[in-house]
């Protein structure tokens, strides 16, 4: 059951990050900097909601539990489960916490002057989001192989 939660959670996050990579960020890039920054500030505030929290947090908790379950011998397919969990934890969760969230906080702190930090933010945030897209998609595929 934990693997199913991990597959679904990682898949949901992969889809969200993919949408940002291929549609949201390219659309915001086309806006004048002040409008792009303001829109992203709004997105960053809106995404902090219970539905996102359950999907992101649920995938993270499941991926923390999987290696433990493999270690204690209650889950087969150990290599798939551990590899998928590590892909998500390092390439998605850690990148989010260490990379994207601090950038979001800096953009938010800039307030109406967000256009000054926008070009650097847009480039760096999008690059790290591509990493999250690839790793969460890979985690989903690898974990699905464990089922």
């Amino acid at each position: 059951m934990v693997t199913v939660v991990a597959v679904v959670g990682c898949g949901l996050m992969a889809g969200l990050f993919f949408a940002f990579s291929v549609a949201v960020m390219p659309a915001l890039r086309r806006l004048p900097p002040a409008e792009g920054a303001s829109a992203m500030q709004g997105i960053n505030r809106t995404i902090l909601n219970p539905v996102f929290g359950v999907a992101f947090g649920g995938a993270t908790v499941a991926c923390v539990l999987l290696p433990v379950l493999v270690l204690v011998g209650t889950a087969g397919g150990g290599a798939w489960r551990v590899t998928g969990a590590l892909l998500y934890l390092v390439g998605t969760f850690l990148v989010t916490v260490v990379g994207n969230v601090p950038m979001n906080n800096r953009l938010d702190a800039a307030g109406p002057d967000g256009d000054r930090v926008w070009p650097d933010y847009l480039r760096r945030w999008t690059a790290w989001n591509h990493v999250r897209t690839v790793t969460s998609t890979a985690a989903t595929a690898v974990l699905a192989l464990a089922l």
Side-chain angles (χ1 to χ4, degrees), residues 2 5-6 53-68 88-89 93:
V2 175
V5 170
V54 168
F56 186 73
T60 302
V61 169
C63 286
V64 167
L65 289 175
L66 283 174
V68 174
Y88 185 82
L89 292 172
F93 176 77

Side-chain angles (χ1 to χ4, degrees), residues 89-102 128-129 131-132:
L89 292 172
V90 173
T92 305
F93 176 77
L94 191 62
V95 166
T96 299
V97 171
V98 173
N100 294 85
V101 168
W128 283 115
N129 189 69
V131 171
R132 298 187 305 176

Side-chain angles (χ1 to χ4, degrees), residues 23-75:
V24 175
M25 299 314 285
L28 295 180
R29 180 178 283 116
R30 291 184 175 140
L31 296 174
E35 291 177 28
S38 177
M40 190 66 179
Q41 288 167 335
I43 290 168
N44 288 337
R45 289 184 195 109
T46 303
I47 203 163
L48 298 176
N49 65 68
V51 175
F52 174 80
V54 168
F56 186 73
T60 302
V61 169
C63 286
V64 167
L65 289 175
L66 283 174
V68 174
L69 295 175
V70 168
L71 189 63
V72 298
T74 60

Side-chain angles (χ1 to χ4, degrees), residues 76-131:
W80 295 118
R81 284 179 169 82
V82 171
T83 301
L86 288 174
L87 278 166
Y88 185 82
L89 292 172
V90 173
T92 305
F93 176 77
L94 191 62
V95 166
T96 299
V97 171
V98 173
N100 294 85
V101 168
M103 284 186 266
N104 292 346
N105 292 341
R106 280 192 295 279
L107 181 65
D108 190 53
D113 295 324
D115 59 324
R116 292 189 309 201
V117 298
W118 180 246
D120 182 59
Y121 173 93
L122 181 63
R123 180 185 53 77
R124 291 177 56 231
W125 192 97
T126 302
W128 283 115
N129 189 69
H130 293 332
V131 171

